[in-house]
Amino acid sequence: MVNCCGLVTVKNEPVPLKSIAVEVSVQGHVATVSSTLQYENQEQSPLEAIFVFPLPGEAAVCRFSAKIGQIEVVAEVQEKQKAQEQYDDALSSGQQAFLLEESDESPDVFKLSVGSLPPGEKASVSLDYVTELAVQADDGLRLCLPAVLNPRYQPQGSDSGSGGSAQVSSVPAGSVPYSLSLSAHVSSPHPISRVESNCPLDPLNYLNTEKTQATVSLAAGHQFDRDVELLLYYQDTHQPTAIVEAAQTSAKPGSLMGDPVVMLSLYPEFPKDVMSSMTSHGEFLFVVDRSGSMECPMHLGSGSQDRIGSARDTLLLLLKSLPMGCYFNIIGFGSSYESFFSKSVEYSQKTMDEALQKVKEMRADLGGTEILQPLKHIYSQPCLPDQPRQLFLFTDGEVGNTKEVLDLVKTNAGSHRCFSFGIGEGASTALISGVAKQATGHAQFITGQDRMQPKAMQSLRFALQPAVVDISVKWNVPKGVSVTPLSPPLRVVFQGQRAILYAQLTGESSGDTEGSVTVKYSLAKQPVENQLSFSLKPAEDTGMTVHRLGARTLIQSLEVEEREQDGEKEGVKEKVIELSVQSGVSSAFTAFIAVHKGDGEALQGQLLRRQVPTPMLYHSPKMNFCGMTQCSPMPMMNLCDMAQCSPMPMARTCSLQMNISAPGLAALEVFDSDINCTEDFDSPAPTSKPVRDPLLQLISLQKASGSWVLEVALAEVLAKTEEEVAKPKPAQVDQEVWATVLALVWLYGFKTEAQEDWQFVAMKAVSWIQAQKVASVSECVQAGNNLLGCQVQKNTLGL
């Protein structure tokens, strides 16, 4: 049993959290998540408890209630300052009060103050939110219930002040003294193929013969020691769909909640000939997190590669896959930032070799995570003519000034597209998804056993695809009905990606009950048109999920507009507050407040504060100073960002705090500034360095032009001697052509399961061979098959 420091109360008793229950209701591409957290005060004094919990960046909190004893109070949305004043007044008069508000720094962090909890009393807190499900590379829909809120690093001098995001400490996985239950009900217009998770699940239970409804649960005995992910797979998942949701009967017609709302999921069709054409233009900037936390392992288990090592391998693949004629640069950032080149350089053998040497030497040695300054530097550099600039941002997402970063990205979105990658458990969805959304790119999350490389290559494929431009959306509805878009204009469409649009339908039609929407755009200079019809007859009650997601979308747009105008534009803040109160959806300017007006007497003295632990994913010496913000205005900094992952144990001194992570509720914190404690953590055994992958070895030998050279290193990858490789070469064939054909045969013969990693490497090789105008390619391929024991056909290689 660990003493003090996050695991026990003042009296060395177990933390008061007892259990978490989660119910998920999925409807096609959106979900409602309901979480209930049970705890009790085992102190002799009243407690003031504070939860800090992470939510998906696109989530809308829509219901919050608390039950103390047998009395339940349901919160209502109010303007934030008014709600805070009411909360303070209730506490000082001895009443129970609950306050739920969005963090000022990041929209995916919420703080829940659970006021005065009497001694010995039990309480439960329930929270509902709605969210869109992200589409994955394999067409799965991802729902993530965050278990970890990584310490968000607040750069010095940031506008966000001291941080505001409550600090969350960690405990060893397996020591968390509470339980989690999770059940999900899935409903879809298309049949459900399967449901997967990174945690053990009970078997999928279909509720009808069409397999359009099913239930699934987390297996018993789960300890909440990682992000819980559900991956849903539907048949015909790329078919467009429309859901029209009926108005709220109690709301005024003409208001957002008083009118029907339509949600459209669009999947534009991309012709195969267009998809096979890749651009050779572009300026590619790879922006890589080199803060100390990037030395953490990618996932649990022995032999796991660290994050910076995975980033190095990914950069190797990206650099080898770039087309001749483009420009590139690599920028590493932490507390400071460093560029490989003073400005972007043209891609050639010389610049590629120079960059690869620097990649080998790249370490997680730049301190904290300050992403704002390197982005400002990038945006200050003039763009190259006819070379569209595209950013690839890799980070574990531990920043505290998310909104400031997103505002900067949006300002420069006209000339910079950005693809973002959240690495490891707990990456901020608001940061990773927000950057990609504002800069018309694509967001990827690498968690659990995921590999970074295929996800990076998928985004590179998007970056190299012909751009979809001149997008227009036209609504066609019967006379008497008008359409008010709730979503911002559609600016980018990728192959295989979904665009969700919300619109408010006002008025009624006496005749027609059907409407349609037409999406037009230009792809590879060819006009494309997609049309989808939908019924104006509202669907059955869906719990106002679509209305609330539509409200959240409009609120987010207005919040960005308000920040851009620095609060000077009249009426924007008031419009957000009006929308938030009307829809019951949280915003930056409102908070949920619930007060139980009992017979409580005015409190004497200070309330105790307590905090419940969040599970730590591995025993790491790199802990955060959890009491830092109480004694100084210095920004919170994760020790992962201050020290390398050394095998030495590190002492940890802090004010008593305990944290808990949960799918909707993640940290119950308690402060008693008179209590301090020190604890030593055992260090992990050093992980053995994984053996270099032969695939990466082969790719590292490829020239920038796409060819390979006949050399000892290539023979080693092919498990042959140099003489064995050289001997069967057809007499009239050049050595470089022979080596390149052998590399292609080996890739297609032994590494088809990793084809997404090497697809561009192979395309470059094929283009190079074709440019050599070799007459005896068939003979080369056959000789290569004989040497390597393969049966790869020439047309399979693209030759």
Side-chain angles (χ1 to χ4, degrees):
M1 183 73 175
V2 183
N3 293 322
C4 189
C5 244
L7 281 178
V8 294
T9 64
V10 169
K11 298 181 179 179
N12 213 31
E13 294 172 344
V15 293
L17 184 72
K18 297 302 178 187
S19 65
I20 303 156
V22 182
E23 293 183 4
V24 180
S25 177
V26 178
Q27 294 172 340
H29 291 257
V30 299
T32 299
V33 180
S34 303
S35 303
T36 301
L37 187 139
Q38 306 276 354
Y39 67 101
E40 66 179 293
N41 178 12
Q42 297 175 338
E43 301 285 342
Q44 300 300 313
S45 305
L47 285 179
E48 180 184 3
I50 298 178
F51 293 92
V52 179
F53 55 93
L55 289 175
E58 300 302 311
V61 176
C62 56
R63 187 180 186 275
F64 163 55
S65 64
K67 189 173 183 180
I68 298 179
Q70 297 303 311
I71 301 170
E72 182 178 25
V73 288
V74 179
E76 62 182 30
V77 179
Q78 294 184 9
E79 190 276 325
K80 185 178 280 190
Q81 184 64 36
K82 179 181 176 183
Q84 289 171 337
E85 290 172 0
Q86 188 175 345
Y87 172 76
D88 292 338
D89 290 344
L91 281 193
S92 62
S93 61
Q95 298 170 349
Q96 284 104 3
F98 298 77
L99 181 71
L100 173 72
E101 59 185 325
E102 187 177 302
S103 164
D104 291 335
E105 286 70 48
S106 181
D108 69 344
V109 180
F110 279 77
K111 293 188 290 185
L112 168 60
S113 300
V114 183
S116 171
L117 183 62
E121 189 68 270
K122 295 181 179 179
S124 67
V125 174
S126 297
L127 176 86
D128 293 2
Y129 68 86
V130 289
T131 186
E132 297 173 0
L133 304 179
V135 179
Q136 301 301 288
D138 62 355
D139 295 342
L141 298 176
R142 176 180 182 262
L143 173 68
C144 182
L145 306 178
V148 184
L149 177 60
N150 279 351
R152 301 291 167 86
Y153 177 71
Q154 183 68 50
Q156 294 186 0
S158 167
D159 292 345
S160 301
S162 62
S165 54
Q167 309 309 329
V168 180
S169 54
S170 300
V171 300
S175 301
V176 181
Y178 61 90
S179 61
L180 170 76
S181 65
L182 180 146
S183 61
H185 180 278
V186 185
S187 177
S188 167
H190 306 293
I192 302 159
S193 299
R194 65 187 192 277
V195 179
E196 297 177 354
S197 177
N198 59 338
C199 303
L201 295 176
D202 290 334
L204 186 66
N205 177 35
Y206 288 106
L207 302 181
N208 59 6
T209 54
E210 297 81 10
K211 296 188 175 181
T212 57
Q213 295 192 41
T215 58
V216 67
S217 300
L218 205 61
H222 174 76
Q223 285 291 306
F224 215 67
D225 56 354
R226 70 196 69 183
D227 281 9
V228 174
E229 287 184 336
L230 290 180
L231 291 170
L232 314 174
Y233 296 88
Y234 301 145
Q235 293 179 26
D236 304 319
T237 186
H238 287 301
Q239 291 293 321
T241 57
I243 297 175
V244 179
E245 187 174 73
Q248 195 173 51
T249 52
S250 59
K252 178 184 175 184
S255 66
L256 176 59
M257 302 303 286
D259 283 342
V261 170
V262 59
M263 177 180 73
L264 296 168
S265 301
L266 299 174
Y267 288 80
E269 298 267 342
F270 282 56
K272 286 186 177 180
D273 59 328
V274 171
M275 294 315 303
S276 62
S277 64
M278 295 291 173
T279 181
S280 60
H281 297 287
E283 180 187 6
F284 298 90
L285 303 181
F286 303 108
V287 186
V288 183
D289 192 339
R290 285 176 52 188
S291 62
S293 57
M294 287 290 288
E295 279 224 316
C296 297
M298 285 293 292
H299 56 79
L300 291 169
S302 62
S304 171
Q305 188 178 28
D306 57 21
R307 297 173 186 175
I308 196 69
S310 184
R312 284 193 295 266
D313 289 348
T314 302
L315 285 172
L316 165 67
L317 278 179
L318 288 167
L319 286 172
K320 292 290 184 176
S321 301
L322 289 178
M324 298 295 283
C326 74
Y327 286 74
F328 78 100
N329 202 351
I330 298 174
I331 298 100
F333 70 93
S335 299
S336 58
Y337 61 90
E338 299 175 357
S339 299
F340 279 20
F341 306 100
S342 58
K343 62 180 181 179
S344 293
V345 295
E346 187 172 358
Y347 182 69
S348 66
Q349 187 65 44
K350 180 177 180 294
T351 55
M352 184 192 75
D353 286 343
E354 192 176 340
L356 285 172
Q357 183 56 43
K358 293 183 178 182
V359 166
K360 287 180 184 177
E361 300 164 359
M362 197 170 69
R363 300 289 181 267
D365 55 4
L366 290 183
T369 310
E370 295 196 29
I371 200 170
L372 198 62
Q373 293 309 314
L375 287 178
K376 284 181 176 179
H377 169 72
I378 289 168
Y379 293 141
S380 71
Q381 304 297 306
C383 291
L384 299 167
D386 300 319
Q387 300 286 350
R389 183 175 286 175
Q390 312 211 54
L391 276 63
F392 283 66
L393 173 63
F394 298 86
T395 179
D396 45 15
E398 300 169 356
V399 298
N401 55 345
T402 302
K403 290 182 180 178
E404 206 174 342
V405 171
L406 296 185
D407 289 347
L408 178 67
V409 170
K410 185 183 180 186
T411 302
N412 294 276
S415 54
H416 295 69
R417 187 199 263 179
C418 188
F419 297 86
S420 55
F421 303 84
I423 305 167
E425 311 282 352
S428 166
T429 55
L431 176 70
I432 305 304
S433 299
V435 163
K437 184 176 181 179
Q438 296 296 350
T440 63
H442 181 59
Q444 300 269 23
F445 290 88
I446 301 105
T447 59
Q449 301 289 326
D450 288 350
R451 292 174 59 250
M452 194 185 302
Q453 290 82 0
K455 297 198 174 189
M457 300 316 291
Q458 185 203 28
S459 290
L460 180 62
R461 188 170 77 245
F462 288 151
L464 293 172
Q465 281 175 3
V468 170
V469 294
D470 302 328
I471 302 173
S472 67
V473 177
K474 182 182 179 183
W475 298 89
N476 311 295
V477 290
K479 189 176 180 180
V481 179
S482 63
V483 180
T484 305
L486 303 175
S487 305
L490 195 56
R491 294 189 294 167
V492 64
V493 181
F494 290 130
Q495 160 68 12
Q497 294 303 301
R498 173 202 61 201
I500 289 186
L501 298 174
Y502 301 93
Q504 178 179 344
L505 303 174
T506 305
E508 291 185 13
S509 168
S510 56
D512 292 346
T513 60
E514 192 171 273
S516 66
V517 59
T518 304
V519 181
K520 295 182 180 180
Y521 51 84
S522 176
L523 176 60
K525 299 182 180 180
Q526 297 296 316
V528 180
E529 181 174 320
N530 283 269
Q531 187 170 38
L532 172 68
S533 298
F534 56 88
S535 172
L536 293 173
K537 186 179 179 182
E540 298 175 9
D541 177 37
T542 54
M544 305 308 288
T545 304
V546 174
H547 277 76
R548 286 173 173 136
L549 283 168
R552 177 60 168 163
T553 300
L554 183 55
I555 284 170
Q556 286 178 325
S557 298
L558 291 170
E559 286 175 347
V560 171
E561 182 182 343
E562 201 274 341
R563 291 198 298 274
E564 287 175 346
Q565 302 292 333
D566 206 16
E568 294 180 3
K569 186 174 180 180
E570 292 185 11
V572 178
K573 181 177 179 180
E574 289 74 17
K575 176 69 172 174
V576 171
I577 293 171
E578 178 189 349
L579 268 173
S580 180
V581 171
Q582 180 194 139
S583 63
V585 169
S586 53
S587 76
F589 307 123
T590 54
F592 282 87
I593 177 74
V595 177
H596 170 228
K597 299 176 175 61
D599 298 325
E601 300 177 0
L603 293 176
Q604 302 297 319
Q606 292 292 314
L607 281 171
L608 292 172
R609 286 193 177 190
R610 291 287 175 268
Q611 191 173 323
V612 184
T614 182
M616 182 177 70
L617 296 183
Y618 42 85
H619 294 266
S620 171
K622 306 179 300 179
M623 290 294 151
N624 58 299
F625 288 120
C626 57
M628 184 180 292
T629 54
Q630 295 181 49
C631 56
S632 77
M634 288 177 63
M636 180 63 192
M637 185 171 182
N638 184 351
L639 270 180
C640 284
D641 294 339
M642 297 170 66
Q644 300 300 308
C645 279
S646 67
M648 295 173 60
M650 183 176 288
R652 179 188 181 203
T653 304
C654 60
S655 299
L656 176 62
Q657 304 188 56
M658 307 175 202
N659 302 274
I660 169 176
S661 265
L665 301 167
L668 167 63
E669 66 177 352
V670 191
F671 298 99
D672 184 343
S673 58
D674 296 328
I675 301 171
N676 283 280
C677 53
T678 302
E679 178 184 1
D680 290 331
F681 287 88
D682 295 331
S683 64
T687 56
S688 58
K689 188 176 180 180
V691 178
R692 184 73 186 273
D693 183 354
L695 174 61
L696 291 177
Q697 286 183 301
L698 181 79
I699 292 172
S700 70
L701 298 174
Q702 189 186 33
K703 301 298 181 184
S705 62
S707 68
W708 274 267
V709 175
L710 205 59
E711 56 183 328
V712 175
L714 176 63
E716 289 177 353
V717 173
L718 304 179
K720 305 290 181 183
T721 65
E722 191 174 12
E723 184 181 355
E724 287 173 331
V725 169
K727 191 174 181 180
K729 179 184 77 68
Q732 70 278 24
V733 174
D734 177 80
Q735 283 196 348
E736 204 167 338
V737 172
W738 171 239
T740 306
V741 169
L742 284 178
L744 284 171
V745 171
W746 187 86
L747 287 171
Y748 280 98
F750 298 104
K751 292 295 177 181
T752 51
E753 79 285 350
Q755 189 167 352
E756 195 152 21
D757 290 19
W758 50 263
Q759 56 184 318
F760 296 114
V761 165
M763 285 172 64
K764 284 174 69 174
V766 169
S767 296
W768 181 85
I769 291 173
Q770 290 172 336
Q772 308 311 305
K773 295 184 168 46
V774 181
S776 51
V777 172
S778 297
E779 188 181 350
C780 266
V781 174
Q782 187 56 50
N785 278 322
N786 293 338
L787 175 66
L788 300 176
C790 300
Q791 294 181 333
V792 179
Q793 300 300 311
K794 186 177 77 166
N795 57 355
T796 303
L797 300 179
L799 294 168

Coordinates of all heavy atoms in Angstrom, one line a residue, residues 320-368:
K320 N 11.3 8.9 -47.2 CA 11.5 8.0 -48.4 C 10.3 8.0 -49.4 O 10.5 7.7 -50.5 CB 11.8 6.6 -47.9 CG 13.1 6.4 -47.2 CD 14.3 6.5 -48.1 CE 15.6 6.2 -47.4 NZ 16.7 6.2 -48.3
S321 N 9.2 8.4 -48.9 CA 8.0 8.4 -49.7 C 7.7 9.7 -50.4 O 6.8 9.7 -51.3 CB 6.7 8.0 -48.8 OG 6.9 6.8 -48.2
L322 N 8.4 10.8 -50.1 CA 8.1 12.0 -50.8 C 8.4 12.0 -52.2 O 9.4 11.3 -52.7 CB 8.9 13.1 -50.1 CG 8.5 13.6 -48.7 CD1 9.5 14.6 -48.1 CD2 7.1 14.1 -48.6
P323 N 7.7 12.7 -53.0 CA 7.9 12.7 -54.5 C 9.1 13.7 -54.9 O 9.3 14.7 -54.2 CB 6.6 13.2 -55.1 CG 6.0 14.1 -54.0 CD 6.4 13.5 -52.7
M324 N 9.8 13.3 -55.9 CA 10.8 14.2 -56.4 C 10.1 15.5 -56.9 O 9.0 15.5 -57.5 CB 11.6 13.6 -57.6 CG 12.3 12.3 -57.2 SD 13.7 12.6 -56.1 CE 14.9 13.3 -57.2
G325 N 10.8 16.6 -56.7 CA 10.2 17.9 -57.1 C 9.5 18.7 -56.0 O 9.2 19.9 -56.1
C326 N 9.3 18.1 -54.8 CA 8.7 18.8 -53.7 C 9.7 19.4 -52.8 O 10.9 19.3 -53.0 CB 7.8 17.8 -52.9 SG 8.7 16.7 -51.8
Y327 N 9.3 20.1 -51.8 CA 10.2 20.8 -50.8 C 9.8 20.2 -49.4 O 8.6 19.8 -49.2 CB 10.0 22.3 -50.8 CG 10.7 22.9 -52.0 CD1 10.1 22.8 -53.3 CD2 11.9 23.6 -51.9 CE1 10.7 23.4 -54.4 CE2 12.5 24.2 -53.0 CZ 11.9 24.1 -54.3 OH 12.5 24.7 -55.4
F328 N 10.7 20.3 -48.5 CA 10.4 19.7 -47.1 C 11.3 20.4 -46.1 O 12.4 21.0 -46.4 CB 10.6 18.2 -47.1 CG 12.0 17.7 -47.0 CD1 12.6 17.3 -45.8 CD2 12.8 17.7 -48.2 CE1 13.9 16.9 -45.7 CE2 14.1 17.3 -48.1 CZ 14.7 16.9 -46.9
N329 N 10.9 20.2 -44.8 CA 11.7 20.6 -43.7 C 11.2 19.8 -42.5 O 10.0 19.4 -42.5 CB 11.7 22.1 -43.4 CG 12.9 22.6 -42.6 OD1 13.7 21.8 -42.1 ND2 13.0 23.9 -42.5
I330 N 12.0 19.7 -41.4 CA 11.6 19.0 -40.2 C 11.9 20.0 -39.0 O 13.0 20.5 -38.9 CB 12.3 17.7 -40.0 CG1 12.0 16.7 -41.1 CG2 12.0 17.1 -38.6 CD1 12.8 15.4 -41.1
I331 N 10.9 20.2 -38.2 CA 11.0 21.1 -37.0 C 10.7 20.3 -35.8 O 9.6 19.7 -35.6 CB 10.0 22.3 -37.2 CG1 10.3 23.1 -38.4 CG2 10.1 23.2 -35.9 CD1 9.4 22.8 -39.6
G332 N 11.6 20.3 -34.8 CA 11.4 19.7 -33.5 C 11.1 20.7 -32.5 O 11.6 21.8 -32.5
F333 N 10.1 20.5 -31.6 CA 9.8 21.5 -30.6 C 9.6 20.9 -29.2 O 9.3 19.7 -29.0 CB 8.5 22.2 -31.0 CG 7.2 21.3 -30.9 CD1 6.5 21.3 -29.8 CD2 6.8 20.5 -32.0 CE1 5.3 20.5 -29.7 CE2 5.7 19.7 -31.9 CZ 4.9 19.7 -30.7
G334 N 9.9 21.8 -28.3 CA 9.7 21.5 -26.8 C 9.5 22.8 -26.2 O 8.7 23.6 -26.5
S335 N 10.4 23.1 -25.2 CA 10.4 24.5 -24.6 C 10.9 25.5 -25.6 O 10.6 26.7 -25.6 CB 11.3 24.5 -23.4 OG 10.8 23.6 -22.4
S336 N 11.8 25.0 -26.6 CA 12.2 25.8 -27.7 C 12.0 24.9 -28.9 O 11.3 23.9 -28.9 CB 13.7 26.0 -27.5 OG 14.4 24.8 -27.4
Y337 N 12.4 25.4 -30.1 CA 12.2 24.6 -31.3 C 13.5 24.7 -32.2 O 14.2 25.7 -32.1 CB 11.0 25.1 -32.1 CG 11.0 26.5 -32.6 CD1 11.6 26.9 -33.8 CD2 10.5 27.6 -31.8 CE1 11.6 28.2 -34.2 CE2 10.6 28.9 -32.2 CZ 11.1 29.2 -33.4 OH 11.1 30.5 -33.9
E338 N 13.7 23.7 -33.0 CA 14.9 23.6 -33.9 C 14.4 23.1 -35.2 O 13.7 22.2 -35.3 CB 15.9 22.6 -33.3 CG 16.5 23.0 -32.0 CD 17.4 21.9 -31.4 OE1 17.5 20.9 -32.1 OE2 18.0 22.1 -30.3
S339 N 14.9 23.7 -36.3 CA 14.6 23.3 -37.7 C 15.9 22.6 -38.2 O 17.0 23.0 -38.0 CB 14.3 24.5 -38.6 OG 13.1 25.2 -38.1
F340 N 15.6 21.5 -39.0 CA 16.7 20.8 -39.7 C 17.4 21.8 -40.6 O 18.6 21.8 -40.8 CB 16.2 19.6 -40.4 CG 16.0 18.4 -39.5 CD1 15.9 18.5 -38.1 CD2 16.0 17.1 -40.1 CE1 15.7 17.4 -37.3 CE2 15.8 16.0 -39.3 CZ 15.7 16.1 -37.9
F341 N 16.6 22.6 -41.4 CA 17.2 23.5 -42.4 C 16.6 24.9 -42.0 O 15.5 25.0 -41.5 CB 16.8 23.1 -43.8 CG 17.1 21.7 -44.1 CD1 16.2 20.7 -44.1 CD2 18.4 21.3 -44.5 CE1 16.5 19.3 -44.4 CE2 18.8 20.0 -44.8 CZ 17.8 19.0 -44.8
S342 N 17.4 25.9 -42.4 CA 16.9 27.3 -42.1 C 15.7 27.6 -42.8 O 14.8 28.4 -42.4 CB 18.0 28.3 -42.5 OG 18.4 28.2 -43.9
K343 N 15.4 27.0 -44.0 CA 14.2 27.1 -44.7 C 14.0 25.8 -45.5 O 14.9 25.0 -45.6 CB 14.2 28.3 -45.7 CG 15.3 28.3 -46.8 CD 15.2 29.5 -47.7 CE 16.2 29.4 -48.8 NZ 16.2 30.6 -49.6
S344 N 12.8 25.6 -46.0 CA 12.5 24.4 -46.7 C 13.4 24.2 -47.9 O 13.8 25.1 -48.6 CB 11.0 24.3 -47.2 OG 10.2 24.3 -46.1
V345 N 13.9 22.9 -48.1 CA 14.8 22.6 -49.2 C 14.1 21.7 -50.2 O 13.2 21.0 -49.9 CB 16.1 21.9 -48.6 CG1 16.9 22.9 -47.7 CG2 15.7 20.7 -47.9
E346 N 14.7 21.7 -51.4 CA 14.1 20.8 -52.5 C 14.5 19.4 -52.2 O 15.7 19.1 -51.7 CB 14.6 21.2 -53.8 CG 13.9 20.4 -55.0 CD 14.3 21.0 -56.3 OE1 15.0 22.0 -56.5 OE2 13.8 20.4 -57.3
Y347 N 13.6 18.5 -52.4 CA 13.9 17.1 -52.1 C 14.8 16.5 -53.1 O 14.6 16.5 -54.3 CB 12.5 16.3 -52.1 CG 12.6 14.8 -51.8 CD1 12.9 14.4 -50.5 CD2 12.3 13.9 -52.8 CE1 12.9 13.1 -50.2 CE2 12.4 12.5 -52.5 CZ 12.7 12.1 -51.2 OH 12.7 10.8 -50.9
S348 N 16.0 16.0 -52.6 CA 17.0 15.4 -53.5 C 17.7 14.3 -52.7 O 17.5 14.2 -51.5 CB 18.0 16.4 -54.0 OG 18.7 16.9 -52.9
Q349 N 18.6 13.6 -53.3 CA 19.4 12.6 -52.6 C 20.2 13.2 -51.5 O 20.3 12.7 -50.3 CB 20.3 11.8 -53.5 CG 21.0 10.6 -52.9 CD 20.1 9.5 -52.5 OE1 19.2 9.2 -53.2 NE2 20.3 9.0 -51.3
K350 N 20.8 14.4 -51.8 CA 21.7 15.1 -50.8 C 20.9 15.5 -49.6 O 21.2 15.3 -48.4 CB 22.3 16.2 -51.5 CG 23.3 17.1 -50.6 CD 23.9 18.2 -51.3 CE 24.9 19.0 -50.4 NZ 24.1 19.8 -49.4
T351 N 19.7 16.2 -49.8 CA 18.9 16.8 -48.7 C 18.3 15.7 -47.9 O 18.1 15.7 -46.7 CB 17.9 17.8 -49.2 OG1 17.1 17.2 -50.2 CG2 18.6 19.0 -49.8
M352 N 17.9 14.6 -48.6 CA 17.2 13.5 -47.9 C 18.2 12.8 -47.0 O 17.9 12.5 -45.8 CB 16.7 12.4 -48.9 CG 15.9 11.3 -48.3 SD 15.6 9.9 -49.4 CE 17.2 9.2 -49.6
D353 N 19.5 12.5 -47.5 CA 20.5 11.9 -46.7 C 20.8 12.8 -45.5 O 21.0 12.2 -44.3 CB 21.8 11.7 -47.5 CG 21.6 10.5 -48.5 OD1 20.7 9.7 -48.3 OD2 22.4 10.5 -49.4
E354 N 20.9 14.1 -45.7 CA 21.2 15.0 -44.6 C 20.1 14.9 -43.5 O 20.4 14.9 -42.3 CB 21.4 16.4 -45.1 CG 22.0 17.4 -44.1 CD 22.2 18.8 -44.8 OE1 22.3 18.8 -46.0 OE2 22.4 19.7 -44.0
A355 N 18.9 14.9 -44.0 CA 17.7 14.9 -43.0 C 17.7 13.6 -42.3 O 17.5 13.6 -41.1 CB 16.4 15.1 -43.8
L356 N 18.0 12.5 -43.0 CA 17.9 11.2 -42.3 C 19.0 11.0 -41.2 O 18.7 10.4 -40.2 CB 18.1 10.1 -43.4 CG 16.8 9.8 -44.3 CD1 17.2 8.8 -45.4 CD2 15.7 9.3 -43.4
Q357 N 20.1 11.6 -41.5 CA 21.2 11.6 -40.5 C 20.7 12.3 -39.2 O 21.0 11.9 -38.1 CB 22.5 12.2 -41.0 CG 23.7 12.1 -40.1 CD 24.0 10.7 -39.6 OE1 24.0 9.8 -40.4 NE2 24.2 10.6 -38.3
K358 N 20.1 13.5 -39.4 CA 19.6 14.3 -38.3 C 18.4 13.5 -37.6 O 18.3 13.7 -36.4 CB 19.2 15.6 -38.7 CG 20.3 16.5 -39.2 CD 19.9 17.9 -39.6 CE 21.1 18.7 -40.1 NZ 20.7 20.1 -40.4
V359 N 17.6 12.8 -38.3 CA 16.5 12.0 -37.7 C 17.1 11.0 -36.8 O 16.6 10.8 -35.7 CB 15.6 11.4 -38.8 CG1 14.7 10.3 -38.2 CG2 14.8 12.4 -39.5
K360 N 18.2 10.3 -37.2 CA 18.8 9.3 -36.3 C 19.3 9.9 -35.0 O 19.3 9.2 -34.0 CB 20.0 8.7 -37.1 CG 19.7 7.8 -38.2 CD 21.0 7.2 -38.8 CE 20.7 6.3 -40.0 NZ 22.0 5.9 -40.7
E361 N 19.7 11.2 -35.0 CA 20.2 11.8 -33.8 C 19.1 12.5 -33.0 O 19.4 13.1 -32.0 CB 21.3 12.8 -34.2 CG 22.5 12.2 -35.0 CD 23.3 13.3 -35.7 OE1 22.9 14.5 -35.7 OE2 24.3 12.9 -36.4
M362 N 17.9 12.5 -33.5 CA 16.8 13.2 -32.8 C 16.4 12.5 -31.5 O 16.2 11.3 -31.4 CB 15.6 13.2 -33.7 CG 14.5 14.2 -33.4 SD 13.3 14.4 -34.7 CE 12.5 12.8 -34.5
R363 N 16.4 13.3 -30.4 CA 16.0 12.8 -29.1 C 14.9 13.6 -28.5 O 14.6 14.8 -28.9 CB 17.3 12.9 -28.2 CG 18.5 12.1 -28.6 CD 18.2 10.6 -28.5 NE 19.3 9.8 -28.9 CZ 19.5 9.3 -30.1 NH1 18.5 9.5 -31.1 NH2 20.5 8.5 -30.5
A364 N 14.3 13.1 -27.4 CA 13.3 13.8 -26.7 C 14.0 14.7 -25.6 O 13.9 14.4 -24.4 CB 12.3 12.9 -26.1
D365 N 14.6 15.8 -26.0 CA 15.5 16.5 -25.2 C 15.2 18.0 -25.2 O 16.1 18.8 -24.8 CB 16.9 16.2 -25.5 CG 17.2 16.5 -27.0 OD1 16.3 17.0 -27.7 OD2 18.4 16.3 -27.5
L366 N 14.0 18.4 -25.5 CA 13.8 19.9 -25.6 C 12.8 20.4 -24.5 O 12.2 21.4 -24.7 CB 13.2 20.2 -27.0 CG 14.2 20.1 -28.2 CD1 13.5 20.6 -29.5 CD2 15.4 20.9 -27.9
G367 N 12.7 19.6 -23.4 CA 12.0 20.1 -22.2 C 10.5 20.0 -22.4 O 9.9 19.0 -22.7
G368 N 9.8 21.1 -22.1 CA 8.3 21.2 -22.1 C 7.7 21.2 -23.5 O 8.4 21.1 -24.5

